[in-house]
Amino acid sequence: MPAKRSGDTVPQRRDPVATRNKLLTAARLEFARHGLAGARVDEIAERAGVNKQLVYHYFGDKDALYLAVLEWVYEDIREQERRLNLEGLPPEKAIRRLIEASFDHLAANPDFIVLLNDENRGGARHVRGSTRLEAMHSPLVKSVSHILNEGVRAGVFRKGIDPVQLYISIAGLSYFFFSNTPTLSAIFGKDLSSRAQRRARRRHVADLVLHSLRP
């Protein structure tokens, strides 16, 4: 067997987890910029620095990659909510923290709004086909329901609040603000993207929701 020459290179073994993560990161950017219809697999592979065939190897096709990105962005916000440990807090403080965390997540992840808008235009076809997303939301609904019940027992919340409707309201009050910041800024003649305006909106949403929960 010939001796190994010092100049010979050793082929590097592929790291499947790292490669998959690179593709997801590249795909998230591409889908946020161009939507599902305009996104190109070639661009995703090039940005990830991998062979195009690896997209199909790890995800199957562009639609499956798109769903994987959607599941990732939802998992991001669910993971953030889990870290809040809401059920260990007094009810009013728990709801305020949930509102503030939801607001801050949208502020830090503008692509989340773009991706969801694109999926909604498509009738939520990919989200409906996911086996993971409903399971992600179930613990959150259970947690919010527990906090509401604790608030009723403590006399700080009124009875009959639907936890799903409450969460939709919390999300909607922040989502609309961020998804429409340019037009709202133009209409009202102020820069709603400024730090001061965002702080004011964050405080307003929390105060408004908490006021609606009181007896």
Side-chain angles (χ1 to χ4, degrees), residues 14 19 23 39-62 65:
R14 184 185 306 149
T19 300
L23 285 168
R40 296 180 62 239
V41 172
D42 287 346
E43 290 293 328
I44 293 170
E46 183 176 347
R47 185 175 287 115
V50 302
N51 188 289
K52 175 182 175 179
Q53 293 306 313
L54 289 178
V55 175
Y56 304 107
H57 173 73
Y58 286 110
F59 297 98
D61 56 23
K62 187 170 79 166
L65 176 56

Side-chain angles (χ1 to χ4, degrees), residues 11-200:
Q12 292 186 339
R13 297 183 65 182
R14 184 185 306 149
D15 182 341
V17 174
T19 300
R20 194 175 188 278
N21 288 341
K22 285 179 184 178
L23 285 168
L24 281 171
T25 301
R28 181 168 176 167
L29 181 59
E30 179 74 3
F31 289 132
R33 285 182 175 176
H34 304 290
L36 174 62
R40 296 180 62 239
V41 172
D42 287 346
E43 290 293 328
I44 293 170
E46 183 176 347
R47 185 175 287 115
V50 302
N51 188 289
K52 175 182 175 179
Q53 293 306 313
L54 289 178
V55 175
Y56 304 107
H57 173 73
Y58 286 110
F59 297 98
D61 56 23
K62 187 170 79 166
D63 280 272
L65 176 56
Y66 181 70
L67 174 56
V69 169
L70 290 174
E71 289 176 338
W72 176 25
V73 298
Y74 273 112
E75 176 59 28
D76 269 357
I77 195 167
R78 295 290 84 84
E79 177 58 31
Q80 173 190 281
E81 288 162 349
R82 284 193 292 270
R83 289 197 299 267
L84 296 175
N85 296 317
L86 298 176
E87 293 185 30
L89 299 174
E92 287 187 301
K93 187 173 182 179
I95 294 297
R96 182 175 289 276
R97 181 171 291 184
L98 175 62
I99 295 166
E100 292 173 346
S102 298
F103 188 95
D104 292 344
H105 188 83
L106 291 176
N109 297 276
D111 62 342
F112 180 76
I113 291 173
V114 177
L115 290 164
L116 263 61
N117 285 345
D118 187 53
E119 176 65 0
N120 277 300
R121 280 194 296 270
R125 176 168 62 91
H126 299 82
V127 167
R128 290 180 192 279
S130 172
T131 58
R132 296 181 57 206
L133 290 176
E134 186 174 353
M136 285 183 201
H137 284 70
S138 295
L140 172 67
V141 173
K142 183 179 178 181
S143 177
V144 172
S145 180
H146 173 79
I147 294 165
L148 290 172
N149 289 334
E150 287 295 307
V152 170
R153 280 192 283 270
V156 295
F157 293 159
R158 60 187 174 86
K159 295 180 181 179
I161 304 296
D162 185 318
V164 173
Q165 291 294 345
L166 174 60
Y167 188 78
I168 291 172
S169 295
I170 290 171
L173 287 166
S174 298
Y175 190 98
F176 182 85
F177 174 78
F178 285 106
S179 65
N180 294 275
T181 293
T183 50
L184 291 171
S185 296
I187 290 168
F188 294 111
K190 58 177 67 177
D191 180 12
L192 295 177
S193 67
S194 71
R195 184 175 298 179
Q197 289 296 326
R198 286 188 175 184
R199 279 200 304 265

